[in-house]
Structure formats: structure tokens, C-alpha cells
Amino acid sequence: MGKIPENYLPPKDTWPEYLIPEEFADTPTKLNIADFLLDRHVREGRGDNVAIKFMDKSITYAQLQQQVNKFGNALKEVGVEPQDRVGIRLVNSPQAIVAIFAIEKIGAIPVPTSPLWSQEEVAFVANNAEMKYFIVNAPLLEAATKAKPDFKFGTKIIVIGGKADEVKAAGDLAFEEMLEKGSPSLEATMLDAFDVGIMLYTSGTTGMPKGCVHFVRPVVIEAKIVNKYVYKMKPGDTLGGAAPVSFAAGFGTFTLLPFEGGAAISLIPKFTPTEMMELIGKHKITVLTGLPTAYRGLMKFPDFKKYDISSIRMFTSGGDALGSETLDAWRALTGLPIWEGLGGTEMLHLVTSNTMNAEPVPNSIGRALPGVEVRVVDAEGKDCKPGEIGSMQLKGASGSLYWKPFEDNEKLLKSQKKGVVSGWNQMGDAVYMQEDGNIFFVSREDDMIKSSGYRIGPAEVEEAIAKHPAIADVGVVGVPDPDKGQITKAVIVLKPGFEGGEKLNDELKEFLKEHIAIYKLPRVFEYLDVLPRTPTGKLLRRKLR
């Protein structure tokens, strides 16, 4: 078994405190993620249940297991050992799920990487993780190929969907050939509780991405908690959505939670309202998850009412502020609410959810999930009063543990108010909590606007601006000001037929006085054709800044 050098993880006395709920204390200390998520269901007689729905295909748990075994054996044949890191740069597809489970089944560590990363970022993460192999879809190959000369640890590329002769000519391996040659019989490599199971890299909002380490047993326990108390998926359920498995949120949502419950996943390579609505009916999706922008996009879709969505029992959201207006409009349109929650790359998945309430509380990210403790602290580390904005700290089944900590990284984490403080995970989120335990997200702390002593959350201002009939999209950021420290700036995309300028600026200021306090009003307006967003629709405020 490959051994991870001790200094690749922080000293143990700086680790977060891991909280394991009593109901999951019997989770084995020798285990394998793929064995728990996949093999367990085949052993227990659910092999004929559908695991993946993709376009017109269905793949059962038993069929998926066979492909995972074949690719897992092929990886072993080319030298992948337990605890080796194997990167993935993949679109949502059955091959992506096969690759991920195969990596896990042989005890290696999957490292999802964003398809949006540049050549420089790809090289940095390949070297930082010391990837042995990097599995890449052919259409996403360019940045990885350009980064190859900068790979310092001999990282080799495995191509999915490429022409075999061209792949070999480039010195790479062909996924399809490896799969064909692999043996269909494979025993899972059992790991210790605190062997590394998954490495998720942050989006790199400041500097290069940081690797977040998640141990095997905490991964399994987190999957159990979130599925039991939020999604409640079981055999017969189908999870749908467009979150990419190469992103942290999509990786957790689509490769952990549904398989914990023996459910199926519906995969869509790229979100469009038409394709999403068609798949809901075709795949009989029962749980739909998406960013708030995806729901707003569906509400604007003129043919929405023509599609049958009666199979869906639950809608969930996270990753960005949902807002009471979107919640109310969606319920009016569909008769069902959207259940919002908060998670993080550092914590693996959700730590709070509105499912802990009988009904969603508008604008709330819900209450802490069982086994999660949350506190809100001020700048001195003292507990805030109910309703007072502060920094969120928490403890849970997983925690903030950064790969290869080094001095510059430590300084950066402190400046972002992230990391571990006396066993508590500091998330870098500004929130407030009510007496009943409901938590309200205000902003990422580095997105918080500090103007003349006031702290302004951009999401609240964005929601108010979005109510104006001229607005198609909006992002709010703080910009430097010599007198106030920062002032609020609104970057706006207009609907057809409207024109930006001083007249509309004045009209917006008057309109906003009815919805937000005067000190929160934008002082600067800018009009663009489109706002920078991730493929899943999350606003990139750092790019606006």
C-alpha cells in the first residue's frame, strides 16, 4: 500500500474534532467507499435495480459493478496502488461513475478537477496531489495535454472517448481499451477509518486551489447523515440535476448520496431547460437538485407547463442564496417547496438543511443536521447573540483538513478566516442564527461589503434589485472607496427593451428604497451583456471584483 508522507497532512493536534452521531457509531473501521456504495447493494440482492439512467440507457447495480471491477483491475495493471491519487476531469456520464468507483474500490483516491481550470491550474493540482494518473474526457483534453510538460511526478493521462490510435500516439492510455481488457472479478481493498478516501480541491477563489482531505469512514458517515435527514433516497428513487461530478458539490451529490440509499441517478451532460424537463419525464426523476439560478431558468422556460413533473417528490438547492421570492414563486408554480441547505468542500457535503424544519423557513439555510454543532462568533471569537452577524464555526462528521499545508497557505487561510480553530471548522461564511437554531447566510466573508462601519451582504441587495422589471441578472460587490472603505456596486444584465444609464440608475435607487436600507443602496451601476458564472450557474463575484 502506498504510504502518504506524514507532513502531507497537518499535525494531528491541529485537526478538527470529528463528531460521530451515536446512531452511526457502528460504521465499520475497516471499509471501502465503493464496497459500501455499490457492492453492498449487489450482495444484498439489489443487483438488478437501476443505478444509472443516461439518455436512453439504463445500467443496473450489477452491470455497473462489472464495469467498475474491469476498470479497477486495469488500473491495478498499470500500477495504481492504494492511496495513490488519480485525477478526473470528466463530464457527467456512466464512464465517469465507473472511473470514480473503480479508483475507490482499489483503495486509491479520486481527485475531481474542474473542467474550467486553465493549463496552469491543471498542472498545479496534478503536481500538488502528485497524481499517478489523470482521467480526462476527450473534449476536455486540451488544457491537460498542454499541462503535460509541467507534470513533475510522471502523471499519465487516460482518455475517455478518444480515438485509440491518436490517444496512443500522444503517449496516453485509452479508457475503452483498458475497460475491455480488465477482469470482471475484483475484491475491494479495505482501508482503515482514517485512510484518505477522497480529495476535493477548492475553486481557487484566491490563489491556487487547495486540496481538502476526507477520510474513508467520515465520508461514509456523512453520506448516511445527509441521505437520512435530507434526501431520504431509497431503491426506486431517481436523483436528477446538472451538478458536474468533477466539481466538489456534484461529486458528493451524485456519487455518494443516491448510492448510499440504493437509488438511481439521472445524468445530464449539460443543463438546458428543455433537456432537463424532458429527462424528468423520461427518467421519472423523484428528487431534483440544482442551484437557484437553475430553478429561476426553469421558471422562465415558456413550455414548463407542457411537461409532466408529477414524479418529483422533492426539490433541493444550495451553493447560492435561494431567496424568499424564488421559494414562493416555485411553490406557486409547482405546489412544492425548494429545500435549501449549506455545505462546503471542506465539510464534504451539507451541514445544515431546511429539512430540519417542518416547512422551509424563507431565506434560511435551515438548522444543523444531526451530529453537527454550529456556533456563530464575533471577531474576538465570542458567541454572537441571536440575530447578530458573525462567523460560522462548526463540528461534524467530516472537517477542514488541507493537503500539503505550507506557510503561505496558512497565512492565506487565516486571512480568509478559514481552517480549524480549537477543533472547530471555520467556514469563511458570515451568518446569523435565530434562537430556534435556524441559520441565515449573509455572505462569504470575503464577499462581505464593509461600508462606513456597516456590513452589507451582497445577496440581499441582489434579491432586491432582481425584483425590478428591467433586470435579467445581477451581481453585487464591494469596490474600494477612500472615504467609506468600500461602496456597493451593482453589475446588471438588462432584459430586452431596456437601456442602462443615469435615468435607470436613479429609477433603481428610488425603487430599492422600498426594499432595503439606504446604507445598502448601490452607489455605482455597470451594465454587461452577461455575468461570469460557473457551468452550474453560481455567480463568480471574484471576477466581478
Side-chain angles (χ1 to χ4, degrees):
M1 177 179 285
K3 185 170 172 59
I4 293 173
E6 222 171 88
N7 64 343
Y8 280 28
L9 297 177
K12 286 195 175 179
D13 60 0
T14 67
W15 286 16
E17 183 182 342
Y18 292 88
L19 300 183
I20 306 301
E22 186 60 36
E23 63 182 310
F24 302 125
D26 61 352
T27 302
T29 54
K30 274 279 188 186
L31 66 172
N32 177 284
I33 294 172
D35 178 77
F36 172 74
L37 298 173
L38 176 60
D39 296 350
R40 170 174 60 99
H41 296 296
V42 178
R43 274 197 306 272
E44 295 174 1
R46 294 183 287 279
D48 291 336
N49 289 10
V50 174
I52 300 172
K53 299 176 182 181
F54 183 70
M55 305 302 191
D56 295 320
K57 293 181 183 175
S58 287
I59 300 171
T60 67
Y61 271 81
Q63 289 168 337
L64 177 59
Q65 184 190 50
Q66 280 247 317
Q67 292 185 50
V68 166
N69 289 351
K70 291 173 79 172
F71 189 58
N73 278 313
L75 287 174
K76 289 174 75 172
E77 281 290 317
V78 295
V80 180
E81 298 179 354
Q83 297 296 277
D84 281 341
R85 277 73 65 200
V86 180
I88 61 168
R89 182 180 170 96
L90 304 173
V91 296
N92 287 4
S93 63
Q95 294 95 323
I97 306 302
V98 168
I100 290 163
F101 280 164
I103 295 164
E104 291 170 342
K105 189 160 182 177
I106 64 173
I109 303 165
V111 183
T113 66
S114 168
L116 296 181
W117 282 347
S118 66
Q119 167 190 341
E120 183 183 2
E121 289 166 316
V122 166
F124 173 83
V125 172
N127 293 332
N128 185 256
E130 298 183 19
M131 292 178 189
K132 186 167 273 189
Y133 284 91
F134 193 16
I135 306 172
V136 184
N137 274 116
L140 303 175
L141 197 55
E142 185 179 359
T145 300
K146 287 181 177 177
K148 266 206 287 190
D150 298 320
F151 290 167
K152 297 176 182 176
F153 295 93
T155 305
K156 293 179 182 172
I157 293 176
I158 299 170
V159 182
I160 294 179
K163 294 179 180 176
D165 53 346
E166 293 178 7
V167 170
K168 288 176 185 174
D172 301 329
L173 300 175
F175 171 89
E176 290 78 10
E177 280 194 359
M178 294 175 70
L179 190 66
E180 190 179 325
K181 292 175 183 175
S183 165
S185 178
L186 175 65
E187 286 293 316
T189 300
M190 292 297 161
L191 300 173
D192 292 329
F194 282 87
D195 283 331
V196 180
I198 295 167
M199 271 177 60
L200 302 175
Y201 275 79
T202 62
S203 56
T205 50
T206 43
M208 285 296 176
K210 297 177 289 297
C212 300
V213 172
H214 296 288
F215 298 120
V216 176
R217 190 167 183 258
V219 166
V220 169
I221 291 170
E222 172 73 359
K224 289 180 178 182
I225 293 170
V226 177
N227 191 40
K228 178 173 181 178
Y229 291 101
V230 181
Y231 291 85
K232 304 177 176 68
M233 285 180 283
K234 58 187 185 301
D237 271 315
T238 299
L239 175 71
V245 295
S246 272
F247 285 77
F251 185 94
T253 302
F254 281 89
T255 76
L256 297 178
L257 306 180
F259 292 97
E260 192 283 329
I265 55 174
S266 165
L267 293 176
I268 180 172
K270 188 176 179 182
F271 174 85
T272 67
T274 303
E275 282 198 39
M276 192 76 259
M277 296 303 293
E278 285 177 355
L279 284 186
I280 289 170
K282 182 189 284 188
H283 291 168
K284 296 290 183 257
I285 289 170
T286 59
V287 180
L288 186 70
T289 185
L291 282 168
T293 46
Y295 288 111
R296 292 179 195 124
L298 289 175
M299 284 193 289
K300 292 174 186 173
F301 182 48
D303 294 332
F304 186 94
K305 287 287 190 181
K306 294 180 181 177
Y307 290 87
D308 179 13
I309 64 167
S310 60
S311 62
I312 296 182
R313 63 171 174 81
M314 184 185 201
F315 298 100
T316 74
S317 185
D320 215 343
L322 181 68
S324 57
E325 191 168 274
T326 301
L327 176 64
D328 292 343
W330 188 262
R331 195 196 287 264
L333 179 66
T334 66
L336 291 173
I338 299 170
W339 299 89
E340 187 175 7
L342 178 79
T345 305
E346 285 84 357
M347 299 303 294
L348 183 62
H349 209 271
L350 289 176
V351 289
T352 76
S353 176
N354 248 308
T355 57
M356 302 311 295
N357 297 307
E359 282 289 319
V361 174
N363 297 315
S364 169
I365 53 173
R367 293 186 287 133
L369 294 178
V372 177
E373 291 181 14
V374 176
R375 63 193 293 236
V376 183
V377 300
D378 61 20
E380 282 74 48
K382 296 176 182 173
D383 288 318
C384 291
K385 297 172 184 172
E388 184 182 348
I389 295 173
S391 179
M392 182 165 76
Q393 293 185 347
L394 52 88
K395 294 177 182 178
S398 201
S400 300
L401 208 68
Y402 292 99
W403 176 258
K404 285 190 180 177
F406 48 89
E407 190 177 344
D408 290 345
N409 203 28
E410 289 295 315
K411 287 177 184 173
L412 177 63
L413 293 172
K414 283 175 184 172
S415 72
Q416 293 177 324
K417 298 187 177 178
K418 295 183 80 173
V420 179
V421 180
S422 302
W424 291 85
N425 300 282
Q426 189 143 306
M427 301 294 289
D429 293 325
V431 304
Y432 64 90
M433 185 159 56
Q434 291 179 334
E435 286 189 28
D436 64 2
N438 270 294
I439 303 161
F440 294 78
F441 179 82
V442 178
S443 171
R444 296 290 300 165
E445 291 196 79
D446 48 8
D447 286 336
M448 202 78 176
I449 302 164
K450 302 169 184 73
S451 182
S452 298
Y454 293 105
R455 302 181 79 199
I456 303 165
E460 179 188 4
V461 184
E462 288 164 357
E463 187 177 356
I465 295 171
K467 292 176 181 176
H468 190 279
I471 309 302
D473 199 4
V474 59
V476 167
V477 293
V479 294
D481 180 82
D483 299 319
K484 299 176 183 293
Q486 284 184 312
I487 54 174
T488 304
K489 176 179 179 177
V491 186
I492 291 169
V493 177
L494 293 172
K495 291 178 181 175
F498 292 92
E499 187 177 337
E502 287 303 317
K503 184 179 178 185
L504 182 57
N505 295 352
D506 292 339
E507 183 183 324
L508 282 168
K509 287 176 185 175
E510 287 303 312
F511 172 82
L512 289 171
K513 287 176 184 176
E514 300 174 21
H515 301 283
I516 55 176
I518 290 175
Y519 71 85
K520 298 177 183 177
L521 291 178
R523 309 295 170 181
V524 181
F525 294 85
E526 184 178 344
Y527 297 91
L528 296 179
D529 293 331
V530 66
L531 297 186
R533 292 185 179 274
T534 68
T536 52
K538 190 172 182 179
L539 181 66
L540 294 169
R541 289 198 183 89
R542 71 181 186 275
K543 292 204 169 183
L544 288 185
R545 285 196 294 269

